[in-house]
Structures are given as C-alpha cells and as structure tokens.
Amino acid sequence: MLDFQFNLLAVLLVLVTGVLAYILYFELELILGTFTFYTYSIWGIATFKEALLLILAGNVFPAYFYPQVLKQVASYLPFQYSFSAVGMLAQTPSWQLFLQIVVIQIGYIILLILLFKVLFKWSSTKTVIQGG
C-alpha cells in the first residue's frame, strides 16, 4: 500500500510540474507571436525557437552530455523548465526537486507574462493596419 501511495504522489508531482511547464511553453509561444507584428512570415523565427528548445532543453542529447559552459547557459534559460525538468522529476521524485522546479517555473511564468504584456502593448501601439 505504501508503494502505491508513493507512486501516486510521484504522479501528482509530475502532473503539477507538467501543467506549469505547459503554461511556460505557452507563454514562450505568446512572446514569439508578438513578432508577427513585424514580419510577414514567422517561419524562420519559429524554426530557430524549436532548434533552441531541442538543444537547450536537453531533448536532442541529455543535458549532462553537454559541455559545462552550455550546461551553465541552459540552467538560466526557461527552456529546460518547460520540457526536461518534468522528466527529471519523473525519474527521481523528491520534494526538494519538486519545490525547486516549481519555484523556478512560477518565477519564469511571472517574468514571461510581464514581458509579453510589455511587448504586446509596445507592438500594438506601433502597428498600422491598412485595408478595407
């Protein structure tokens, strides 16, 4: 019975961080969407973002294979907290890791929503729409 409760708790921890990771990824997409005010095609920017996500989130290779400099840079960016942090927690569930991930995810969520609001306000005041 104790083993079942531990697994249920681990699933709950992963679900919470998964929901926060999705919100974080959604905010990254919102910020990317503000660039549509300045370009006809966002394909190149979106492709670049996907490449960054694959590399810096540890989706191409696990992050522990990266050189120390790249690990250090990736640890300060929100990409790994929208993908690989959930996997790390699923592999080794612990309260300490859970709290660390959740605090960082919530911090990035707040920071990115503020950044989006500033970018959107600035972009929408500079937009000129022509047509009939």
Side-chain angles (χ1 to χ4, degrees):
M1 187 69 177
L2 184 61
D3 187 36
F4 174 73
Q5 288 176 347
F6 176 74
N7 288 336
L8 187 61
L9 181 62
V11 169
L12 183 64
L13 297 180
V14 169
L15 282 175
V16 169
T17 56
V19 168
L20 290 174
Y22 180 77
I23 293 169
L24 184 59
Y25 181 74
F26 182 76
E27 287 182 351
L28 288 169
E29 290 292 325
L30 280 175
I31 291 171
L32 181 70
T34 59
F35 292 112
T36 59
F37 286 105
Y38 303 105
T39 182
Y40 291 112
S41 174
I42 199 164
W43 178 83
I45 297 169
T47 304
F48 181 70
K49 182 219 32 131
E50 289 299 323
L52 277 178
L53 280 174
L54 285 174
I55 293 169
L56 295 177
N59 291 347
V60 174
F61 298 107
Y64 57 84
F65 285 132
Y66 291 158
Q68 189 60 33
V69 173
L70 193 55
K71 282 185 206 177
Q72 191 74 18
V73 169
S75 70
Y76 292 112
L77 297 175
F79 303 126
Q80 72 179 12
Y81 298 102
S82 62
F83 287 103
S84 64
V86 178
M88 288 181 347
L89 187 63
Q91 288 177 345
T92 56
S94 72
W95 282 108
Q96 181 182 3
L97 183 60
F98 171 73
L99 291 175
Q100 177 186 358
I101 290 171
V102 166
V103 166
I104 292 171
Q105 283 178 325
I106 290 173
Y108 271 124
I109 287 170
I110 292 168
L111 179 73
L112 291 178
I113 198 67
L114 293 174
L115 178 65
F116 169 71
K117 287 183 181 238
V118 168
L119 285 174
F120 185 77
K121 185 175 181 177
W122 187 59
S123 299
S124 62
T125 59
K126 302 292 182 192
T127 303
V128 176
I129 298 175
Q130 297 178 358

